[in-house]
Amino acid sequence: MKTLQESGRSNMIFGLVKCVALSDSAGNSSRLPLERMPTGYMEHQINFFNASHVTNVPKCPRDYEEWMVTMYSQFGTKWHCLHRGPAWQHCEHSHSRYDLIPGLVI
C-alpha cells in the first residue's frame, strides 16, 4: 500500500477486493463480472507482472483470449497498435506479429 501511496495512486487493491466481494443492485454475487471481460484481462495482467520470468506466465484466461481475437478480427492492425500502445510501436521483434494474438490460427 505504501508503494501505491508514494506513487500517487489510489488504493486499487482495496477497490478490487470491494468489487469482487460486494453484490450489485441486480443481486449478482459480485460487482465485477467474473465470468467475462474485464476480469480475464485483469487476471492476465496480475499473473504477468507477478511472474518471475515471461515463460512462467500462465495461459491467458479464455474470456480475455476470445476478446483479443474478436477485437483483432474486427479492427485488425489498428486495434493491435492501440492495444500495444505508442511506446511499443517501433520496437524490434524476433517473432511474427501473429504470435502476439493467442489462439489466432493463420
Side-chain angles (χ1 to χ4, degrees):
M1 298 302 156
K2 185 178 177 185
T3 305
L4 290 172
Q5 188 177 28
E6 288 173 353
S7 299
R9 298 291 182 171
S10 66
N11 189 346
M12 65 180 113
I13 305 301
F14 177 73
L16 176 63
V17 170
K18 191 174 173 183
C19 287
V20 173
L22 297 178
S23 60
D24 65 7
S25 59
N28 296 321
S29 62
S30 171
R31 290 181 181 177
L32 185 66
L34 300 177
E35 69 283 347
R36 61 182 173 83
M37 280 293 292
T39 307
Y41 175 72
M42 293 172 14
E43 178 184 355
H44 179 68
Q45 292 298 315
I46 290 167
N47 289 337
F48 179 84
F49 288 104
N50 192 39
S52 58
H53 190 268
V54 73
T55 58
N56 298 335
V57 178
K59 188 176 185 307
C60 284
R62 185 75 184 145
D63 58 333
Y64 178 50
E65 187 176 322
E66 288 174 356
W67 177 79
M68 286 195 310
V69 170
T70 301
M71 294 298 282
Y72 192 78
S73 66
Q74 292 291 319
F75 303 107
T77 55
K78 290 292 183 189
W79 171 81
H80 186 58
C81 290
L82 289 171
H83 185 66
R84 290 181 64 206
W88 300 99
Q89 294 304 310
H90 304 290
C91 294
E92 294 295 324
H93 296 287
S94 60
H95 50 70
S96 165
R97 66 185 174 130
Y98 299 109
D99 292 340
L100 301 174
I101 308 296
L104 184 64
V105 178
I106 296 180

